[in-house]
Amino acid sequence: MPDHLEPETMMREISDLEGRIGELRQAAGMPAPDLRATLDAALVELELALSALRTIGTGRPGAAGHSASAETERRVLRTVFQDAPVPLFLLDRDTSVRRVNRQAATLLGTSPGYVSGKQFTAFCDLATRAALRSQLAAVVRTGRRRRVAVRFMGRDRPIDATVTLARVWIRGEPDPMVVAVAGAAGSPVTREAGEAAADGTRREPTARQHAAREHAVQEAPAAPPPDGQAPDVREPARPPSGRLSAVPRPAASHADDDQAVATIVHRMDVLANASELLLDEPVFNETVAVRRCARLLAAELADWAIIDLVGANGSTPQAAQAAAQAAQNARSWQASGQDDPAAADPAGALSRQVVMGPEDDRSVEATQALEELAPDPGTLPYTVFTTRQSALRPHVEELDLLGVGADGQPVCGTIGATSVLCVPVEDGDRCLGTITLAGSGEHGPFDLLDLAVAQRLGRYLALVIRAARLYRRRAEVADTLQASLLPKRLPEIPGVDLGARYMTATHGAEVGGDFYDAFRTRDGWGLVLGDVCGKGEDAAAVTATARHGARLVSRWRSGPGEVLSAVNEALMEEDRFVTAIMAELEPAGERVRISLGTAGHPPAVVVRADGVIRTASRGGVPLGLFDDFEAGLDFLDLGPGDTLFLHSDGVLEACDLARQEFGQERLLETLAGTAGRPVQDMLDAVQAALLDFCDGDLRDDVSMLALRVLPQSLA
């Protein structure tokens, strides 16, 4: 192409210049930037701008002078390109790779066909990309050869090289092309040491590096160094992935094959660890599972792990805010009589759940920014979620692949990601979200083996999330139903202080069978506490019958014995039995006379004001078993400060790790120790003793009801 710039060409040059200047600014703000290379590139851009200004209005030189030179260069390329002993890249004007020779493919650890068509800068680290683009533009514009220090993202580890850029003209091509010749540079260790010395920091090996080193040492024999060279003492890179690689690579040596086996073993370990971490919960917990999965992936497979989910439980502020906003929008559209456009958007509720990355200060800031960044349309997570198709980008060409931050900078540039993969989180029926992994290329790009592991983990996580959400919905239904079986609040009974406590079993999401109630009777007040055999919806129906039956019958029958007999008749049609205890209160001056009726239930406990403990008599059979029911009856006389304590068998049968029961003696000791304290303190003490004894693991529901006679001055 002639050096004269037409108006259309000038506009294109200006647009390209603006883009390259923006990349230089971003490169200067990256961690450990190569400021010298960036400065040189900026000076090159100034020279290009000056050269472009000088061409405005000048005459167009003839093309004859180019034809002989172009033909000569074309013959040379045809002869030596493929068999040249050095890596060669033939680049278009826009820096995309037209062709590479075998040496260049070997340098990158891939095949010539994979490299062709991709941006040349996609195979370089982010710190050198902006400067390289400027130098390429200068070569195309001026024709002067340039040498640039480049760090290629090789298949197994970064490779430092010096690239010589030269412009060539090829007949039939409207634009000039660039030949890039890669030569050896200093050792990556030397470069890393120099960078560490420059910024005063040293990058510690990640868990992923330690895993690679461990497997490489255990599985792969050490290869002898070439003659005359010192052994390579660099940090062992991630083992290659063998024939499963998404990036085709040349034939491997025996050492490479051994390392490939080590890589497969490592991935199997990751899957095994994931299974253990996700399932090691007595009760499925979505938030715990998601964070465990992200932490494992960030430690073993990637530098960054991002998990986005739809229909989350609102455990994060972002999820709660998104759900609230979606609900508000839906109500607004409904009020206007129009269809909500978000209803047709399958990813409208996709929200960021967790971001895991390195723990240095800069990465912590990036993590916080990413947590606030939604997976908007156009980003890779959004696309993978809507299409339910996994995506693998071994070499990132578009830095806004994961979106753009609030500061206007592409996310990939902010976190230094040169390789990205994203998989859907599917449970077989629907897509629940996505898992995104990003790497800096220090261990090579992601491959098909990494993708397969991430897909399997996505499946594992989806199943755990589905189970957790089903469990949570059942627990919510159970809680709602359980609340309907207990009084919302206890009545205020003159002359006594009344308190109750209910604790659900630690395991399971079914409705418990315990119940208690306090209500007016025909002659005063009544208390009832019972336990239905079994759990679940069927048990809940029996619980409701027993509780409300006792409350209703007490309005027209006197005495616990008669009330319990009537309830027994109502329960004879049920297939479950009920143990219960009922008390009727009869005020007698400063004292209260208690009539007790027991139906196969643990006896009531009386705690005297001076700490003396007495238990009522046992008796009766459970309700709902026999037609000829007869309750066990007893009568108690309570004075000021005395307490009547009713409880279910869940108190006595709570077990410790040795399967030893809490028992009645421990209960009586706890009650005696709180004889002079308020009723709520007494209930708190029993609850604390129970939870401490069983280490918080209640195997059955627990219900307690306590009544204390108040002195006349407090009544």
Side-chain angles (χ1 to χ4, degrees), residues 475-486 510-512 536-541 544:
E476 291 171 353
V477 172
D479 290 343
T480 302
L481 184 55
Q482 188 73 67
S484 69
L485 300 176
L486 299 173
E510 294 184 307
V511 184
E537 290 79 2
D538 293 342

Side-chain angles (χ1 to χ4, degrees), residues 17 63 111 180 206 220 227 237 268 295 301 309-310 324 347 357 402 436 466 494 515 520 554 566-567 619-620:
L17 177 62
S111 68
T206 63
D227 294 339
M268 293 176 64
R295 186 178 298 109
L301 293 183
L309 295 177
V310 65
L402 301 180
T436 304
R466 183 173 69 174
F515 67 92
R520 284 189 176 275
S554 295
V567 174

Side-chain angles (χ1 to χ4, degrees), residues 209-462:
Q209 287 175 302
H210 284 303
R213 173 191 291 171
E214 179 180 351
H215 284 283
V217 170
Q218 292 177 353
E219 303 291 342
D227 294 339
Q229 296 185 15
D232 189 355
V233 295
R234 288 174 290 182
E235 179 73 34
R238 184 183 59 163
S241 301
R243 63 183 180 87
L244 292 177
S245 175
V247 183
R249 59 195 305 261
S253 64
H254 292 298
D256 289 337
D257 292 338
D258 291 338
Q259 286 193 335
V261 173
T263 299
I264 295 176
V265 173
H266 178 224
R267 295 304 187 271
M268 293 176 64
D269 289 344
V270 172
L271 289 174
N273 290 337
S275 301
E276 182 177 354
L277 288 176
L278 294 178
L279 299 178
D280 186 23
E281 278 289 312
V283 176
F284 288 115
N285 187 302
E286 178 178 337
T287 303
V288 172
V290 170
R291 295 194 64 84
R292 285 182 174 181
C293 184
R295 186 178 298 109
L296 175 68
L297 290 170
E300 298 293 342
L301 293 183
D303 296 312
W304 292 85
I306 304 170
I307 298 181
D308 302 315
L309 295 177
V310 65
N313 58 10
S315 57
T316 65
Q318 296 80 12
Q321 183 177 1
Q325 185 63 44
Q328 181 179 355
N329 293 341
R331 288 192 296 269
S332 299
W333 284 103
Q334 184 177 8
S336 64
Q338 303 180 39
D339 293 333
D340 183 3
D345 182 4
L350 190 66
S351 61
R352 187 133 297 164
Q353 296 300 300
V354 63
V355 177
M356 290 287 181
E359 297 182 355
D360 56 273
D361 293 339
R362 184 184 180 92
S363 297
V364 170
E365 295 178 1
T367 298
Q368 295 173 349
L370 283 176
E371 289 174 342
E372 302 296 330
L373 187 64
D376 294 326
T379 62
L380 189 63
Y382 186 97
T383 302
V384 169
F385 177 79
T386 54
T387 63
R388 301 176 69 166
Q389 297 295 322
S390 300
L392 175 61
R393 302 289 186 270
H395 297 90
V396 173
E397 299 182 64
E398 301 174 355
L399 296 184
D400 60 352
L401 190 67
L402 301 180
V404 178
D407 57 358
Q409 299 299 321
V411 170
C412 289
T414 300
I415 65 178
T418 62
S419 187
V420 173
L421 68 81
C422 185
V423 300
V425 178
E426 290 187 283
D427 62 3
D429 296 327
R430 55 193 290 261
C431 186
L432 303 177
T434 60
I435 296 175
T436 304
L437 304 183
S440 64
E442 289 295 321
H443 310 283
F446 294 123
D447 53 34
L448 283 180
L449 188 58
D450 296 316
L451 186 68
V453 172
Q455 287 175 323
R456 183 62 63 86
L457 288 181
R459 173 70 171 170
Y460 290 171
L461 181 60

Side-chain angles (χ1 to χ4, degrees), residues 14-287:
I14 292 176
S15 177
D16 292 345
L17 177 62
E18 290 176 344
R20 295 194 300 272
I21 289 176
E23 291 181 356
L24 288 174
R25 287 197 182 100
Q26 182 179 344
M30 293 184 61
D34 191 341
L35 296 179
R36 178 58 184 271
T38 305
L39 176 60
D40 291 344
L43 294 175
V44 167
E45 296 292 359
L46 288 174
E47 293 176 0
L48 287 178
L50 179 60
S51 176
L53 290 173
R54 286 175 176 171
T55 60
I56 298 178
T58 61
R60 298 182 59 181
H66 291 292
S67 97
S69 174
E71 184 63 26
T72 300
E73 292 188 20
R74 186 172 183 176
R75 288 198 300 269
V76 171
L77 285 174
R78 186 184 302 116
T79 304
V80 304
F81 189 84
Q82 289 298 334
D83 296 325
V86 294
L88 295 177
F89 300 81
L90 182 61
L91 312 179
D92 289 328
R93 180 189 180 96
D94 63 355
T95 72
S96 62
V97 179
R98 177 72 66 88
R99 184 177 300 174
V100 297
N101 67 352
R102 286 185 293 272
Q103 293 292 334
T106 302
L107 174 71
L108 298 177
T110 182
S111 68
Y114 174 78
V115 182
S116 299
K118 293 181 171 57
Q119 288 290 316
F120 179 63
T121 53
F123 297 95
C124 308
D125 72 341
L126 295 180
T128 60
R129 287 189 185 184
L132 180 58
R133 288 187 187 275
S134 296
Q135 298 290 2
L136 284 168
V139 171
V140 172
R141 185 69 188 90
T142 66
R144 292 197 297 269
R145 297 186 179 184
R146 294 183 179 272
R147 290 168 61 86
V148 185
V150 173
R151 199 177 203 206
F152 289 110
M153 307 313 295
R155 180 64 190 86
D156 300 325
R157 55 174 169 254
I159 301 168
D160 290 298
T162 299
V163 176
T164 301
L165 306 173
R167 186 179 70 179
V168 296
W169 292 85
I170 298 179
R171 187 183 299 274
E173 296 290 339
D175 292 326
M177 307 186 78
V178 175
V179 172
V181 184
S187 166
V189 171
T190 304
R191 175 174 180 143
E192 290 172 0
E195 292 175 350
D199 63 9
T201 62
R202 178 179 181 272
R203 183 175 182 179
E204 294 295 333
T206 63
R208 188 181 176 195
Q209 287 175 302
H210 284 303
R213 173 191 291 171
E214 179 180 351
H215 284 283
V217 170
Q218 292 177 353
E219 303 291 342
D227 294 339
Q229 296 185 15
D232 189 355
V233 295
R234 288 174 290 182
E235 179 73 34
R238 184 183 59 163
S241 301
R243 63 183 180 87
L244 292 177
S245 175
V247 183
R249 59 195 305 261
S253 64
H254 292 298
D256 289 337
D257 292 338
D258 291 338
Q259 286 193 335
V261 173
T263 299
I264 295 176
V265 173
H266 178 224
R267 295 304 187 271
M268 293 176 64
D269 289 344
V270 172
L271 289 174
N273 290 337
S275 301
E276 182 177 354
L277 288 176
L278 294 178
L279 299 178
D280 186 23
E281 278 289 312
V283 176
F284 288 115
N285 187 302
E286 178 178 337
T287 303

